[in-house]
């Protein structure tokens, strides 16, 4: 997908990866035209990261067209903020949502009253700072850090991958892992102690990001949805995830059963 609301950096880097590194031709479709395109001509649709929200830019017909194409055997790859479109609150194709900031409030054993909020004792400044945090606050934004991730060696997406990957983490997107009944977390972040490969990450970010999904996959009808909350093509300078994306783009359709 091309043009608004996609990020020109993400869309351009993805196209460079496919056309220049792999030497494979792609079709560029403007986002607003996607609902009118003959998608049965294609096995894979890639939605790049976006500057704005896909949900606010596209209508119900657009989403219905894409949903029908996936159910008939298409492989949709959503990158970055495009994951919001396929997650709960969007098209609902993945049973996951962005997490708010993890906050510990008060005494976990304190009782609650249905008539009034429970009483609290703020003994330290840290308790006060936690008490004034809004419940729906997003995690602190990460300027850029290389984090370690572990592929699921039992999944086809990990074919040929090393035991450890390095993922560039930016922003504040952290998604809940999929349950076994709802899909597969094909790549996940490492433990808090092993998470950072290069750079600096606040303790709160390390603890909340640990073991969260890097790649999520779920079957949908005859097709499937592959979601990557973190852009694997950051300005086309990071090559460690090239094989991961090659598997997603070219192996993915082999695990679908298209009608066309």
């Amino acid at each position: 997908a091309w043009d608004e609301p996609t990020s020109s950096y993400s869309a351009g880097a993805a196209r460079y990866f496919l056309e220049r590194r792999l030497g494979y031709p792609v079709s560029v479709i403007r986002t607003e035209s996607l609902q009118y395109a003959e998608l049965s001509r294609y096995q894979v649709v890639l939605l790049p990261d976006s500057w704005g929200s896909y949900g606010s830019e596209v209508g119900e017909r657009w989403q219905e067209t894409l949903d029908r194409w996936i159910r008939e055997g298409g492989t949709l790859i959503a990158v970055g903020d495009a994951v919001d479109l396929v997650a709960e609150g969007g098209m609902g194709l993945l049973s996951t949502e962005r997490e708010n900031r993890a906050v510990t409030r008060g005494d976990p054993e304190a009782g609650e009253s249905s008539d009034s909020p429970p009483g609290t004792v703020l003994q330290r400044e840290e308790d006060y700072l936690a008490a004034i945090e809004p419940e729906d606050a997003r995690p602190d934004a990460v300027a850029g850090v290389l984090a370690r991730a572990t592929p699921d060696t039992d999944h086809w997406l990990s074919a040929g991958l090393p035991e450890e990957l390095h993922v560039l983490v930016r922003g504040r997107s952290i998604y809940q892992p999929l349950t076994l009944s709802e899909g597969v977390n094909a790549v996940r972040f490492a433990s808090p102690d092993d998470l950072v490969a290069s750079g600096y990450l606040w303790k709160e970010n390390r603890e909340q990001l640990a073991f969260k999904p890097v790649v999520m996959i779920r079957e949908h009808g005859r097709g499937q949805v592959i979601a990557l909350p973190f852009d694997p093509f950051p300005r086309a300078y990071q090559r460690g995830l090239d094989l991961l994306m090659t598997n997603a783009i070219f192996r993915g359709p082999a695990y679908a059963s298209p009608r066309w």
Side-chain angles (χ1 to χ4, degrees), residues 78-109:
V79 172
D81 286 345
V83 177
D84 280 344
L85 177 69
V86 299
E88 298 289 350
M91 296 173 65
L93 303 180
L94 287 176
S95 297
T96 183
E97 291 182 285
R98 284 200 201 207
E99 292 187 350
N100 291 324
R101 182 185 302 173
V103 176
T104 302
R105 295 177 178 274
D107 182 358
E109 297 183 359

PDB file of all heavy atoms in Angstrom, residues 78-109:
ATOM      1  N   ALA A  78       0.937  -6.752   8.114  1.00  0.00           N
ATOM      2  CA  ALA A  78       0.741  -5.428   8.698  1.00  0.00           C
ATOM      3  C   ALA A  78       1.977  -5.052   9.513  1.00  0.00           C
ATOM      4  O   ALA A  78       2.438  -5.827  10.345  1.00  0.00           O
ATOM      5  CB  ALA A  78      -0.501  -5.412   9.593  1.00  0.00           C
ATOM      6  N   VAL A  79       2.504  -3.861   9.268  1.00  0.00           N
ATOM      7  CA  VAL A  79       3.744  -3.413   9.888  1.00  0.00           C
ATOM      8  C   VAL A  79       3.499  -2.159  10.718  1.00  0.00           C
ATOM      9  O   VAL A  79       2.775  -1.254  10.297  1.00  0.00           O
ATOM     10  CB  VAL A  79       4.818  -3.121   8.811  1.00  0.00           C
ATOM     11  CG1 VAL A  79       6.048  -2.478   9.425  1.00  0.00           C
ATOM     12  CG2 VAL A  79       5.193  -4.401   8.072  1.00  0.00           C
ATOM     13  N   GLY A  80       4.100  -2.098  11.908  1.00  0.00           N
ATOM     14  CA  GLY A  80       4.020  -0.898  12.735  1.00  0.00           C
ATOM     15  C   GLY A  80       2.607  -0.566  13.154  1.00  0.00           C
ATOM     16  O   GLY A  80       1.851  -1.423  13.636  1.00  0.00           O
ATOM     17  N   ASP A  81       2.217   0.693  12.939  1.00  0.00           N
ATOM     18  CA  ASP A  81       0.886   1.130  13.351  1.00  0.00           C
ATOM     19  C   ASP A  81      -0.227   0.477  12.552  1.00  0.00           C
ATOM     20  O   ASP A  81      -1.399   0.554  12.942  1.00  0.00           O
ATOM     21  CB  ASP A  81       0.767   2.661  13.229  1.00  0.00           C
ATOM     22  CG  ASP A  81       1.534   3.383  14.325  1.00  0.00           C
ATOM     23  OD1 ASP A  81       1.899   2.733  15.318  1.00  0.00           O
ATOM     24  OD2 ASP A  81       1.778   4.605  14.183  1.00  0.00           O
ATOM     25  N   ALA A  82       0.098  -0.170  11.435  1.00  0.00           N
ATOM     26  CA  ALA A  82      -0.925  -0.896  10.678  1.00  0.00           C
ATOM     27  C   ALA A  82      -1.474  -2.068  11.484  1.00  0.00           C
ATOM     28  O   ALA A  82      -2.566  -2.566  11.189  1.00  0.00           O
ATOM     29  CB  ALA A  82      -0.353  -1.400   9.351  1.00  0.00           C
ATOM     30  N   VAL A  83      -0.734  -2.511  12.513  1.00  0.00           N
ATOM     31  CA  VAL A  83      -1.211  -3.601  13.365  1.00  0.00           C
ATOM     32  C   VAL A  83      -2.498  -3.192  14.071  1.00  0.00           C
ATOM     33  O   VAL A  83      -3.379  -4.021  14.323  1.00  0.00           O
ATOM     34  CB  VAL A  83      -0.122  -4.024  14.377  1.00  0.00           C
ATOM     35  CG1 VAL A  83      -0.642  -5.104  15.323  1.00  0.00           C
ATOM     36  CG2 VAL A  83       1.115  -4.533  13.638  1.00  0.00           C
ATOM     37  N   ASP A  84      -2.628  -1.890  14.396  1.00  0.00           N
ATOM     38  CA  ASP A  84      -3.864  -1.421  15.031  1.00  0.00           C
ATOM     39  C   ASP A  84      -5.085  -1.708  14.163  1.00  0.00           C
ATOM     40  O   ASP A  84      -6.174  -1.957  14.669  1.00  0.00           O
ATOM     41  CB  ASP A  84      -3.786   0.083  15.301  1.00  0.00           C
ATOM     42  CG  ASP A  84      -2.984   0.409  16.549  1.00  0.00           C
ATOM     43  OD1 ASP A  84      -2.753  -0.508  17.358  1.00  0.00           O
ATOM     44  OD2 ASP A  84      -2.577   1.572  16.709  1.00  0.00           O
ATOM     45  N   LEU A  85      -4.915  -1.667  12.852  1.00  0.00           N
ATOM     46  CA  LEU A  85      -6.048  -1.895  11.949  1.00  0.00           C
ATOM     47  C   LEU A  85      -6.563  -3.322  12.048  1.00  0.00           C
ATOM     48  O   LEU A  85      -7.767  -3.558  12.002  1.00  0.00           O
ATOM     49  CB  LEU A  85      -5.626  -1.589  10.501  1.00  0.00           C
ATOM     50  CG  LEU A  85      -6.691  -1.861   9.432  1.00  0.00           C
ATOM     51  CD1 LEU A  85      -7.840  -0.869   9.559  1.00  0.00           C
ATOM     52  CD2 LEU A  85      -6.083  -1.798   8.037  1.00  0.00           C
ATOM     53  N   VAL A  86      -5.657  -4.303  12.196  1.00  0.00           N
ATOM     54  CA  VAL A  86      -6.069  -5.705  12.206  1.00  0.00           C
ATOM     55  C   VAL A  86      -6.320  -6.230  13.619  1.00  0.00           C
ATOM     56  O   VAL A  86      -6.838  -7.328  13.786  1.00  0.00           O
ATOM     57  CB  VAL A  86      -5.020  -6.589  11.500  1.00  0.00           C
ATOM     58  CG1 VAL A  86      -4.876  -6.160  10.051  1.00  0.00           C
ATOM     59  CG2 VAL A  86      -3.670  -6.538  12.202  1.00  0.00           C
ATOM     60  N   ALA A  87      -5.961  -5.444  14.641  1.00  0.00           N
ATOM     61  CA  ALA A  87      -6.123  -5.885  16.027  1.00  0.00           C
ATOM     62  C   ALA A  87      -7.529  -5.572  16.535  1.00  0.00           C
ATOM     63  O   ALA A  87      -8.374  -5.037  15.821  1.00  0.00           O
ATOM     64  CB  ALA A  87      -5.069  -5.214  16.911  1.00  0.00           C
ATOM     65  N   GLU A  88      -7.774  -5.946  17.794  1.00  0.00           N
ATOM     66  CA  GLU A  88      -9.043  -5.598  18.431  1.00  0.00           C
ATOM     67  C   GLU A  88      -9.214  -4.082  18.421  1.00  0.00           C
ATOM     68  O   GLU A  88      -8.268  -3.332  18.629  1.00  0.00           O
ATOM     69  CB  GLU A  88      -9.054  -6.100  19.882  1.00  0.00           C
ATOM     70  CG  GLU A  88      -8.947  -7.604  20.025  1.00  0.00           C
ATOM     71  CD  GLU A  88     -10.202  -8.333  19.581  1.00  0.00           C
ATOM     72  OE1 GLU A  88     -11.223  -7.657  19.338  1.00  0.00           O
ATOM     73  OE2 GLU A  88     -10.159  -9.565  19.469  1.00  0.00           O
ATOM     74  N   GLY A  89     -10.431  -3.629  18.179  1.00  0.00           N
ATOM     75  CA  GLY A  89     -10.670  -2.199  18.043  1.00  0.00           C
ATOM     76  C   GLY A  89     -10.579  -1.747  16.601  1.00  0.00           C
ATOM     77  O   GLY A  89     -11.032  -0.665  16.254  1.00  0.00           O
ATOM     78  N   GLY A  90      -9.982  -2.603  15.739  1.00  0.00           N
ATOM     79  CA  GLY A  90      -9.946  -2.337  14.307  1.00  0.00           C
ATOM     80  C   GLY A  90     -10.799  -3.362  13.600  1.00  0.00           C
ATOM     81  O   GLY A  90     -11.995  -3.490  13.853  1.00  0.00           O
ATOM     82  N   MET A  91     -10.173  -4.162  12.724  1.00  0.00           N
ATOM     83  CA  MET A  91     -10.901  -5.203  12.010  1.00  0.00           C
ATOM     84  C   MET A  91     -11.093  -6.451  12.860  1.00  0.00           C
ATOM     85  O   MET A  91     -11.864  -7.345  12.498  1.00  0.00           O
ATOM     86  CB  MET A  91     -10.158  -5.560  10.719  1.00  0.00           C
ATOM     87  CG  MET A  91     -10.082  -4.412   9.725  1.00  0.00           C
ATOM     88  SD  MET A  91      -9.029  -4.782   8.289  1.00  0.00           S
ATOM     89  CE  MET A  91      -9.943  -6.128   7.516  1.00  0.00           C
ATOM     90  N   GLY A  92     -10.386  -6.539  13.983  1.00  0.00           N
ATOM     91  CA  GLY A  92     -10.559  -7.671  14.893  1.00  0.00           C
ATOM     92  C   GLY A  92     -10.029  -8.986  14.356  1.00  0.00           C
ATOM     93  O   GLY A  92     -10.492 -10.052  14.761  1.00  0.00           O
ATOM     94  N   LEU A  93      -9.029  -8.936  13.471  1.00  0.00           N
ATOM     95  CA  LEU A  93      -8.468 -10.158  12.903  1.00  0.00           C
ATOM     96  C   LEU A  93      -7.450 -10.807  13.837  1.00  0.00           C
ATOM     97  O   LEU A  93      -7.142 -11.987  13.697  1.00  0.00           O
ATOM     98  CB  LEU A  93      -7.809  -9.863  11.550  1.00  0.00           C
ATOM     99  CG  LEU A  93      -8.713  -9.229  10.485  1.00  0.00           C
ATOM    100  CD1 LEU A  93      -7.941  -8.992   9.208  1.00  0.00           C
ATOM    101  CD2 LEU A  93      -9.922 -10.122  10.219  1.00  0.00           C
ATOM    102  N   LEU A  94      -6.919 -10.033  14.772  1.00  0.00           N
ATOM    103  CA  LEU A  94      -5.977 -10.548  15.770  1.00  0.00           C
ATOM    104  C   LEU A  94      -6.498 -10.216  17.161  1.00  0.00           C
ATOM    105  O   LEU A  94      -6.909  -9.084  17.418  1.00  0.00           O
ATOM    106  CB  LEU A  94      -4.588  -9.920  15.595  1.00  0.00           C
ATOM    107  CG  LEU A  94      -3.739 -10.356  14.407  1.00  0.00           C
ATOM    108  CD1 LEU A  94      -2.454  -9.539  14.381  1.00  0.00           C
ATOM    109  CD2 LEU A  94      -3.421 -11.837  14.466  1.00  0.00           C
ATOM    110  N   SER A  95      -6.462 -11.208  18.052  1.00  0.00           N
ATOM    111  CA  SER A  95      -6.948 -11.001  19.420  1.00  0.00           C
ATOM    112  C   SER A  95      -5.831 -10.402  20.277  1.00  0.00           C
ATOM    113  O   SER A  95      -5.302 -11.024  21.194  1.00  0.00           O
ATOM    114  CB  SER A  95      -7.435 -12.323  20.011  1.00  0.00           C
ATOM    115  OG  SER A  95      -8.529 -12.813  19.283  1.00  0.00           O
ATOM    116  N   THR A  96      -5.478  -9.172  19.943  1.00  0.00           N
ATOM    117  CA  THR A  96      -4.452  -8.458  20.681  1.00  0.00           C
ATOM    118  C   THR A  96      -4.760  -6.973  20.632  1.00  0.00           C
ATOM    119  O   THR A  96      -5.498  -6.508  19.758  1.00  0.00           O
ATOM    120  CB  THR A  96      -3.043  -8.720  20.093  1.00  0.00           C
ATOM    121  OG1 THR A  96      -2.053  -8.060  20.898  1.00  0.00           O
ATOM    122  CG2 THR A  96      -2.945  -8.191  18.669  1.00  0.00           C
ATOM    123  N   GLU A  97      -4.226  -6.233  21.602  1.00  0.00           N
ATOM    124  CA  GLU A  97      -4.370  -4.787  21.649  1.00  0.00           C
ATOM    125  C   GLU A  97      -3.070  -4.180  22.136  1.00  0.00           C
ATOM    126  O   GLU A  97      -2.258  -4.835  22.778  1.00  0.00           O
ATOM    127  CB  GLU A  97      -5.501  -4.374  22.597  1.00  0.00           C
ATOM    128  CG  GLU A  97      -6.893  -4.725  22.133  1.00  0.00           C
ATOM    129  CD  GLU A  97      -7.943  -4.238  23.115  1.00  0.00           C
ATOM    130  OE1 GLU A  97      -8.082  -4.854  24.176  1.00  0.00           O
ATOM    131  OE2 GLU A  97      -8.612  -3.228  22.813  1.00  0.00           O
ATOM    132  N   ARG A  98      -2.902  -2.900  21.833  1.00  0.00           N
ATOM    133  CA  ARG A  98      -1.766  -2.191  22.423  1.00  0.00           C
ATOM    134  C   ARG A  98      -1.932  -2.137  23.931  1.00  0.00           C
ATOM    135  O   ARG A  98      -3.027  -1.908  24.436  1.00  0.00           O
ATOM    136  CB  ARG A  98      -1.697  -0.763  21.907  1.00  0.00           C
ATOM    137  CG  ARG A  98      -1.181  -0.626  20.509  1.00  0.00           C
ATOM    138  CD  ARG A  98      -0.708   0.792  20.303  1.00  0.00           C
ATOM    139  NE  ARG A  98      -0.658   1.155  18.911  1.00  0.00           N
ATOM    140  CZ  ARG A  98       0.175   2.075  18.432  1.00  0.00           C
ATOM    141  NH1 ARG A  98       1.000   2.689  19.252  1.00  0.00           N
ATOM    142  NH2 ARG A  98       0.168   2.365  17.153  1.00  0.00           N
ATOM    143  N   GLU A  99      -0.843  -2.340  24.633  1.00  0.00           N
ATOM    144  CA  GLU A  99      -0.887  -2.251  26.081  1.00  0.00           C
ATOM    145  C   GLU A  99      -0.695  -0.812  26.543  1.00  0.00           C
ATOM    146  O   GLU A  99       0.048  -0.038  25.932  1.00  0.00           O
ATOM    147  CB  GLU A  99       0.219  -3.113  26.703  1.00  0.00           C
ATOM    148  CG  GLU A  99       0.027  -4.596  26.527  1.00  0.00           C
ATOM    149  CD  GLU A  99       1.052  -5.402  27.304  1.00  0.00           C
ATOM    150  OE1 GLU A  99       2.010  -4.801  27.827  1.00  0.00           O
ATOM    151  OE2 GLU A  99       0.880  -6.619  27.378  1.00  0.00           O
ATOM    152  N   ASN A 100      -1.365  -0.465  27.640  1.00  0.00           N
ATOM    153  CA  ASN A 100      -1.061   0.769  28.336  1.00  0.00           C
ATOM    154  C   ASN A 100       0.161   0.551  29.213  1.00  0.00           C
ATOM    155  O   ASN A 100       0.650  -0.571  29.360  1.00  0.00           O
ATOM    156  CB  ASN A 100      -2.249   1.218  29.186  1.00  0.00           C
ATOM    157  CG  ASN A 100      -3.415   1.672  28.335  1.00  0.00           C
ATOM    158  OD1 ASN A 100      -3.229   2.270  27.279  1.00  0.00           O
ATOM    159  ND2 ASN A 100      -4.624   1.376  28.778  1.00  0.00           N
ATOM    160  N   ARG A 101       0.643   1.609  29.815  1.00  0.00           N
ATOM    161  CA  ARG A 101       1.795   1.487  30.693  1.00  0.00           C
ATOM    162  C   ARG A 101       1.452   0.622  31.902  1.00  0.00           C
ATOM    163  O   ARG A 101       0.374   0.732  32.482  1.00  0.00           O
ATOM    164  CB  ARG A 101       2.244   2.866  31.168  1.00  0.00           C
ATOM    165  CG  ARG A 101       3.475   2.845  32.063  1.00  0.00           C
ATOM    166  CD  ARG A 101       3.786   4.219  32.601  1.00  0.00           C
ATOM    167  NE  ARG A 101       4.001   5.174  31.526  1.00  0.00           N
ATOM    168  CZ  ARG A 101       4.160   6.480  31.738  1.00  0.00           C
ATOM    169  NH1 ARG A 101       4.103   6.966  32.966  1.00  0.00           N
ATOM    170  NH2 ARG A 101       4.371   7.298  30.720  1.00  0.00           N
ATOM    171  N   ALA A 102       2.369  -0.273  32.258  1.00  0.00           N
ATOM    172  CA  ALA A 102       2.171  -1.115  33.436  1.00  0.00           C
ATOM    173  C   ALA A 102       2.392  -0.272  34.686  1.00  0.00           C
ATOM    174  O   ALA A 102       3.455   0.313  34.875  1.00  0.00           O
ATOM    175  CB  ALA A 102       3.141  -2.291  33.416  1.00  0.00           C
ATOM    176  N   VAL A 103       1.369  -0.174  35.550  1.00  0.00           N
ATOM    177  CA  VAL A 103       1.435   0.649  36.760  1.00  0.00           C
ATOM    178  C   VAL A 103       0.994  -0.176  37.948  1.00  0.00           C
ATOM    179  O   VAL A 103      -0.038  -0.851  37.905  1.00  0.00           O
ATOM    180  CB  VAL A 103       0.531   1.902  36.634  1.00  0.00           C
ATOM    181  CG1 VAL A 103       0.538   2.690  37.931  1.00  0.00           C
ATOM    182  CG2 VAL A 103       0.989   2.768  35.482  1.00  0.00           C
ATOM    183  N   THR A 104       1.782  -0.158  39.006  1.00  0.00           N
ATOM    184  CA  THR A 104       1.408  -0.810  40.257  1.00  0.00           C
ATOM    185  C   THR A 104       0.822   0.236  41.176  1.00  0.00           C
ATOM    186  O   THR A 104       1.464   1.241  41.487  1.00  0.00           O
ATOM    187  CB  THR A 104       2.631  -1.458  40.927  1.00  0.00           C
ATOM    188  OG1 THR A 104       3.201  -2.388  40.013  1.00  0.00           O
ATOM    189  CG2 THR A 104       2.229  -2.176  42.205  1.00  0.00           C
ATOM    190  N   ARG A 105      -0.387   0.009  41.639  1.00  0.00           N
ATOM    191  CA  ARG A 105      -1.082   1.011  42.444  1.00  0.00           C
ATOM    192  C   ARG A 105      -1.408   0.457  43.833  1.00  0.00           C
ATOM    193  O   ARG A 105      -2.061  -0.572  43.962  1.00  0.00           O
ATOM    194  CB  ARG A 105      -2.394   1.445  41.788  1.00  0.00           C
ATOM    195  CG  ARG A 105      -2.201   2.155  40.465  1.00  0.00           C
ATOM    196  CD  ARG A 105      -3.540   2.491  39.860  1.00  0.00           C
ATOM    197  NE  ARG A 105      -3.379   3.203  38.609  1.00  0.00           N
ATOM    198  CZ  ARG A 105      -3.224   4.517  38.508  1.00  0.00           C
ATOM    199  NH1 ARG A 105      -3.237   5.248  39.606  1.00  0.00           N
ATOM    200  NH2 ARG A 105      -3.068   5.094  37.337  1.00  0.00           N
ATOM    201  N   GLY A 106      -0.970   1.175  44.867  1.00  0.00           N
ATOM    202  CA  GLY A 106      -1.379   0.881  46.233  1.00  0.00           C
ATOM    203  C   GLY A 106      -1.042  -0.524  46.698  1.00  0.00           C
ATOM    204  O   GLY A 106      -0.194  -1.208  46.166  1.00  0.00           O
ATOM    205  N   ASP A 107      -1.775  -0.994  47.706  1.00  0.00           N
ATOM    206  CA  ASP A 107      -1.582  -2.310  48.298  1.00  0.00           C
ATOM    207  C   ASP A 107      -2.449  -3.306  47.535  1.00  0.00           C
ATOM    208  O   ASP A 107      -3.676  -3.177  47.512  1.00  0.00           O
ATOM    209  CB  ASP A 107      -1.974  -2.264  49.782  1.00  0.00           C
ATOM    210  CG  ASP A 107      -1.764  -3.601  50.484  1.00  0.00           C
ATOM    211  OD1 ASP A 107      -1.340  -4.580  49.817  1.00  0.00           O
ATOM    212  OD2 ASP A 107      -2.030  -3.681  51.688  1.00  0.00           O
ATOM    213  N   PRO A 108      -1.878  -4.329  46.889  1.00  0.00           N
ATOM    214  CA  PRO A 108      -2.695  -5.263  46.117  1.00  0.00           C
ATOM    215  C   PRO A 108      -3.687  -6.036  46.966  1.00  0.00           C
ATOM    216  O   PRO A 108      -4.640  -6.598  46.458  1.00  0.00           O
ATOM    217  CB  PRO A 108      -1.655  -6.191  45.488  1.00  0.00           C
ATOM    218  CG  PRO A 108      -0.457  -6.081  46.360  1.00  0.00           C
ATOM    219  CD  PRO A 108      -0.456  -4.680  46.865  1.00  0.00           C
ATOM    220  N   GLU A 109      -3.482  -6.081  48.307  1.00  0.00           N
ATOM    221  CA  GLU A 109      -4.393  -6.822  49.175  1.00  0.00           C
ATOM    222  C   GLU A 109      -5.458  -5.924  49.791  1.00  0.00           C
ATOM    223  O   GLU A 109      -6.282  -6.385  50.573  1.00  0.00           O
ATOM    224  CB  GLU A 109      -3.592  -7.520  50.278  1.00  0.00           C
ATOM    225  CG  GLU A 109      -2.606  -8.557  49.742  1.00  0.00           C
ATOM    226  CD  GLU A 109      -1.878  -9.271  50.853  1.00  0.00           C
ATOM    227  OE1 GLU A 109      -2.138  -8.935  52.037  1.00  0.00           O
ATOM    228  OE2 GLU A 109      -1.062 -10.159  50.559  1.00  0.00           O
TER     229      GLU A 109
END
